[in-house]
Amino acid sequence: MNIPAALKDSAVASLIALALFVPMIGLVLKGQSLNIQLLRALFVVAAVFAGRMLISMLLQSGLLGRLVEVIRKVLVYLSPVVGLVERRSFRFIGLLLVVLVAVPFLPGSSNYLIQILSLTLVYVILATGLNIVVGLAGLLDLGFVAFFATGAYGYAMLAQYAGLSFWAAIPLTAGIAAAMGCLLGLPVLRMHGDYLAIVTLGFGEIIRILLVNMIDITGGPNGISVPRPTLFGLGFTRRLEEGQLGFHEFFGLPYSASHRYIFIYLLILAFTVAAIWIFKRLREMPIGRAWEALREDEIACKALGINHTTTKLSAFTLGATFGGVGGVFFAAMEGFINPSSFTFVESAIILSIVVLGGMGSIVGVILAAMGITLLPELFREFENYRMLVFGLAMVFIMIWRPGGLLKVRRKTFARGGHGG
Amino acid sequence: MAAKADSILVTEGVSIRFGGLLALAGISLVMRPATITAIIGPNGAGKTTLFNCITGFYRPTEGRIIFRPDGRDVVLNRLPIHKIAQLGVARTYQNIRLFGQMSVLENLLVAQHHFVNHRLISGIFQTRSFRKSEAEAVEQAWFWLEFMGMEQLANQDAGTLPYGQQRRLEVARAMASRPRLICLDEPAAGLNLQESEELNQLILKLREEHGVSVLLIEHHMGVVMSISDHVVVLDHGEVISDGTTEQVQQDERVIKAYLGEEDAEELQSVTKGAG
Ligand SMILES: Nc1ncnc2c1ncn2[C@@H]1O[C@H](COP(=O)(O)OP(=O)(O)O)[C@@H](O)[C@H]1O
Ligand SMILES: [Mg+2]
């Protein structure tokens, strides 16, 4: 065992810790005076030294290496499973759909489960929208949450101030979100990569800050309540509005809150299927091909007669529309929204779903959305560690499959036929 | 102007300046329809820059570029790249620019974007007219793949093709956009002798069977002399010789002034071989 090397590494780590922790926890502000408590900092530095020693020992003893080996083996066994899903993606989606439709009616289903699944589906809709912008058109958008917020608040405010119903709000809100997408697209037409990412990030924050500060209109940080959707005028709430007929009354059932959860869930499921279907079509249409061509080589794309302005704008606009619709459903399902649901972290999560799932891939995005929303719920007990595990899992997936979980399967063409 | 009457492309005193460098200094040339015009000259002569001006990538500081696709004059100087392409000017690049992660056939479909039905609603609901237009585009794509002898590669990702095939695909993609004028920037660069020979035959065939006008940048003198109808020699942004292959080969300025000993010898040997 190479002790001197381990000591050297640990010394370097402690030095860094010293530089960091002396000002951070060694200096304590008390009233007007500054207290110097070096001992506290030194204690942490000692802990860093010991920790680094331990890691060196583990590395040298090969234990850590063996652990990595085991993880790799597990992943090797997982690969064929992923491959199978990749090849049979159509069947996989069909099977998943059957399961998802059946879940609310199975014994053991609960409102909690339905609520989580609804949220998962909202993420699938959002990620599908972002998949157009990032996955197909290759435009790194870090402010996608802006459209999600537009959708949610659009519905809430249209209901509150214009008295519009859920069903009337969907197309209107989608239109507003589309306009916002176009609005964001205009100034960033000439931007790429990092610059685009920063501007879109700023856009997302501007929208959130507006929501927080326009207290008179949006309710500010206190949020705003959202009416529940109805089914052909049938309400799902216990206390119905004047002249409204309840779903349970109409069908002669006893009132149950789960009716409402199931209704919204199935509604979101239907729209998710529609969103995925539209995405699949888009990918194989001229506009989808133009997006991908733009991503691959913007210059060559223009020189083939493709108007890159309208092509880019259409990607932003359509992506934003999906985001807006996702927002309407989120609001409808929560019944109450506030700006804290629309922070940058949300943009980051949606982007992670797209990147982890595989840019442009449909099944990959569904799987990643499920992973990201369902897994943390499963490990609720480990509340404090779950973000840590979550981050580690992401790192591992990106090492294991740098292109995302699933590769995009391109349409294949057969001579004489019409493709297949 | 008489010279313009039977022409597809005319440049009148085209100049472009990059800071202190006059990369093109008053280029005037006339290109006849359905001919192969070779542009030759040493590295840095301004050949690619001329292509970039014609295809709208650069804006000339002076002069006019007139394209005459069907008898009428269109001044290209101020048009955006995609408008010029839509008028019927296609190009390839000295450094290949394919859509690497798209399949070979999809590359050819992208090239037909403004001929297919690209309305959103038709595509999402796959109306009959949409399916018909797609099928035609796919058919056209197969045609060009067959022309280039690459049918078996149709579903492969363009980026995974061997270098020589990528060069061919670039030409096929340019042709799929149904151009009247195609500008090929060193299409044979990096190809071996046989590949290069095959490509030249294809370029000849393009002109003969499809009536397209070809503007070709090529370094290999043998190729230039054997397939072009017209040769323009550039040096330091100026046209130093312009004429038929014989005229250019006998031009003292071309031989002495710029080709250098090695190239001059090569040129002589080609002349002997041809003569
Ligand atoms: N965008 C540009 N900015 C500055 N200089 C350029 C630019 N494009 C070309 N040039 C210069 O113009 C000259 C001609 O280049 P080019 O047309 O590429 O030559 P070639 O004949 O080898 O294709 C070179 O000196 C080159 O450095
Ligand atoms: Mg060049």
Side-chain angles (χ1 to χ4, degrees):
Chain A
M1 197 164 277
N2 189 348
I3 301 288
L7 279 174
K8 203 178 119 209
D9 286 344
S10 311
V12 171
S14 332
L15 266 178
I16 296 173
L18 197 68
L20 278 176
F21 290 117
V22 166
M24 272 164 60
I25 59 175
L27 303 178
V28 182
L29 202 61
K30 249 201 196 129
Q32 298 288 334
S33 65
L34 203 60
N35 253 347
I36 302 176
Q37 301 192 345
L38 270 185
L39 213 61
R40 282 166 50 143
L42 289 180
F43 183 72
V44 176
V45 172
V48 167
F49 184 86
R52 186 66 185 82
M53 260 326 249
L54 196 70
I55 292 178
S56 292
M57 299 291 182
L58 277 175
L59 276 176
Q60 285 184 11
S61 70
L63 260 175
L64 221 56
R66 240 172 282 162
L67 186 70
V68 170
E69 203 45 49
V70 169
I71 293 177
R72 186 168 299 157
K73 277 227 180 79
V74 172
L75 293 184
V76 165
Y77 283 114
L78 264 175
S79 289
V81 179
V82 175
L84 192 71
V85 173
E86 212 162 50
R87 270 174 282 120
R88 298 259 181 276
S89 56
F90 191 70
R91 253 183 248 178
F92 176 79
I93 292 184
L95 191 71
L96 193 66
L97 188 61
V98 171
V99 172
L100 286 177
V101 170
V103 162
F105 310 105
L106 294 178
S109 150
S110 65
N111 289 346
Y112 170 72
L113 177 68
I114 297 301
Q115 188 84 344
I116 303 280
L117 283 179
S118 302
L119 189 65
T120 306
L121 293 177
V122 167
Y123 274 112
V124 174
I125 297 179
L126 294 174
T128 304
L130 189 62
N131 213 354
I132 293 176
V133 184
V134 180
L136 295 185
L139 304 160
L140 184 52
D141 182 350
L142 291 183
F144 195 70
V145 73
F147 309 120
F148 183 35
T150 304
Y153 270 88
Y155 170 36
M157 276 149 54
L158 282 174
Q160 178 136 342
Y161 299 111
L164 284 186
S165 76
F166 171 77
W167 294 101
I170 288 185
L172 256 176
T173 315
I176 296 171
M180 295 271 285
C182 196
L183 200 72
L184 169 68
L186 277 174
V188 300
L189 274 175
R190 290 171 170 279
M191 291 180 190
H192 297 269
D194 323 1
Y195 300 98
L196 177 65
I198 290 168
V199 173
T200 51
L201 179 89
F203 182 72
E205 280 302 281
I206 289 172
I207 299 295
R208 188 182 61 82
I209 291 168
L210 275 180
L211 293 177
V212 172
N213 287 314
M214 300 200 310
I215 296 182
D216 296 338
I217 309 171
T218 63
N222 297 330
I224 185 168
S225 71
V226 185
R228 299 294 189 175
T230 55
L231 174 65
F232 300 114
L234 298 179
F236 285 90
T237 38
R238 185 183 293 279
R239 240 172 301 145
L240 294 160
E241 282 168 42
E242 195 103 11
Q244 195 180 36
L245 193 62
F247 174 83
H248 58 285
E249 293 168 351
F250 187 81
F251 287 99
L253 298 167
Y255 175 78
S256 158
S258 65
H259 291 161
R260 186 183 78 221
Y261 286 112
I262 294 173
F263 166 61
I264 296 180
Y265 168 74
L266 291 177
L267 204 62
I268 299 179
L269 184 59
F271 267 80
T272 309
V273 171
I276 288 173
W277 180 74
I278 291 175
F279 179 84
K280 183 174 154 33
R281 282 278 161 94
L282 281 172
R283 207 171 57 180
E284 291 168 358
M285 269 163 56
I287 185 73
R289 292 193 297 255
W291 287 333
E292 289 199 82
L294 203 66
R295 175 193 72 202
E296 295 294 302
D297 194 318
E298 186 166 336
I299 287 176
C301 197
K302 285 194 232 175
L304 288 171
I306 292 173
N307 182 342
H308 84 293
T309 308
T310 49
T311 307
K312 266 191 191 178
L313 282 182
S314 64
F316 274 117
T317 308
L318 275 168
T321 312
F322 280 60
V325 172
V328 174
F329 285 118
F330 178 75
M333 149 196 156
E334 296 281 318
F336 176 84
I337 50 174
N338 70 27
S340 68
S341 307
F342 307 103
T343 57
F344 168 67
V345 173
E346 217 60 31
S347 290
I349 289 181
I350 303 166
L351 185 65
S352 316
I353 293 176
V354 174
V355 175
L356 285 177
M359 302 230 225
S361 146
I362 292 173
V363 181
V365 161
I366 297 175
L367 287 178
M370 295 185 121
I372 278 190
T373 49
L374 296 181
L375 287 184
E377 293 300 329
L378 287 182
F379 298 107
R380 269 233 172 263
E381 300 90 273
F382 311 103
E383 191 84 66
N384 292 327
Y385 304 102
R386 89 195 153 123
M387 284 324 269
L388 192 72
V389 173
F390 183 58
L392 271 178
M394 275 169 117
V395 171
F396 270 114
I397 289 182
M398 286 332 272
I399 293 174
W400 174 42
R401 293 193 151 235
L405 267 178
L406 298 191
K407 273 197 292 294
V408 179
R409 245 178 12 119
R410 307 212 70 88
K411 182 174 176 171
T412 55
F413 296 87
R415 185 74 241 245
H418 299 292
Chain B
M1 226 196 279
K4 266 169 65 175
D6 181 36
S7 58
I8 179 100
L9 184 81
V10 179
T11 72
E12 294 174 350
V14 170
S15 302
I16 189 166
R17 185 177 281 285
F18 298 111
L21 176 82
L22 191 61
L24 294 180
I27 304 281
S28 296
L29 48 92
V30 176
M31 194 185 164
R32 310 246 163 257
T35 57
I36 298 180
T37 300
I39 310 237
I40 62 172
N43 274 330
K47 306 180 296 295
T48 301
T49 305
L50 180 63
F51 270 26
N52 285 340
C53 288
I54 295 171
T55 48
F57 286 58
Y58 294 161
R59 302 246 167 275
T61 352
E62 267 172 66
R64 293 206 305 165
I65 299 168
I66 301 150
F67 182 51
R68 313 179 77 237
D70 30 45
R72 72 203 158 98
D73 287 15
V74 189
V75 178
L76 299 185
N77 295 42
R78 295 263 147 234
L79 292 179
I81 299 174
H82 69 272
K83 282 276 192 290
I84 294 177
Q86 286 172 12
L87 282 170
V89 181
R91 71 172 292 179
T92 66
Y93 305 84
Q94 195 168 343
N95 303 309
I96 297 176
R97 289 183 172 276
L98 286 172
F99 306 127
Q101 294 197 47
M102 301 177 77
S103 73
V104 167
L105 199 131
E106 283 172 321
N107 268 264
L108 300 180
L109 293 181
V110 172
Q112 301 177 61
H113 188 80
H114 57 285
F115 298 105
V116 298
N117 177 349
H118 51 253
R119 273 194 303 273
L120 207 58
I121 297 300
S122 324
I124 287 176
F125 294 102
Q126 303 222 332
T127 59
R128 189 179 307 173
S129 83
F130 172 81
R131 275 177 287 146
K132 187 158 164 277
S133 128
E134 282 290 286
E136 278 166 12
V138 171
E139 200 46 49
Q140 190 69 16
W142 280 114
F143 172 82
W144 285 111
L145 287 181
E146 235 159 56
F147 186 91
M148 292 288 166
M150 331 178 41
E151 312 95 290
Q152 69 293 349
L153 303 173
N155 292 307
Q156 209 162 312
D157 279 3
T160 64
L161 294 184
Y163 188 79
Q165 302 284 11
Q166 294 200 9
R167 284 253 172 236
R168 277 174 183 230
L169 179 57
E170 251 204 345
V171 177
R173 186 182 65 180
M175 283 309 295
S177 71
R178 302 180 208 175
R180 302 294 311 279
L181 168 67
I182 179 169
C183 306
L184 306 174
D185 195 344
E186 304 196 18
L191 300 190
N192 63 35
L193 215 62
Q194 192 202 336
E195 287 173 325
S196 162
E197 184 51 39
E198 284 169 11
L199 190 65
N200 293 323
Q201 290 315 310
L202 288 173
I203 293 172
L204 270 176
K205 209 169 141 197
L206 281 183
R207 186 203 52 181
E208 267 145 35
E209 292 179 6
H210 299 275
V212 66
S213 314
V214 183
L215 203 53
L216 172 73
I217 298 179
E218 174 60 68
H219 275 305
H220 196 278
M221 284 305 154
V223 170
V224 170
M225 297 309 162
S226 67
I227 71 169
S228 21
D229 305 298
H230 183 158
V231 181
V232 176
V233 189
L234 287 192
D235 191 22
H236 295 298
E238 284 180 70
V239 177
I240 62 165
S241 184
D242 177 349
T244 62
T245 50
E246 291 83 20
Q247 285 168 335
V248 170
Q249 281 175 87
Q250 272 138 34
D251 194 323
E252 287 298 307
R253 259 188 100 187
V254 178
I255 300 168
K256 290 263 158 55
Y258 102 91
L259 275 179
E261 293 312 310
E262 247 173 78
D263 283 340
E265 271 161 32
E266 189 189 340
L267 191 63
Q268 297 290 300
S269 68
V270 170
T271 316
K272 275 184 210 129

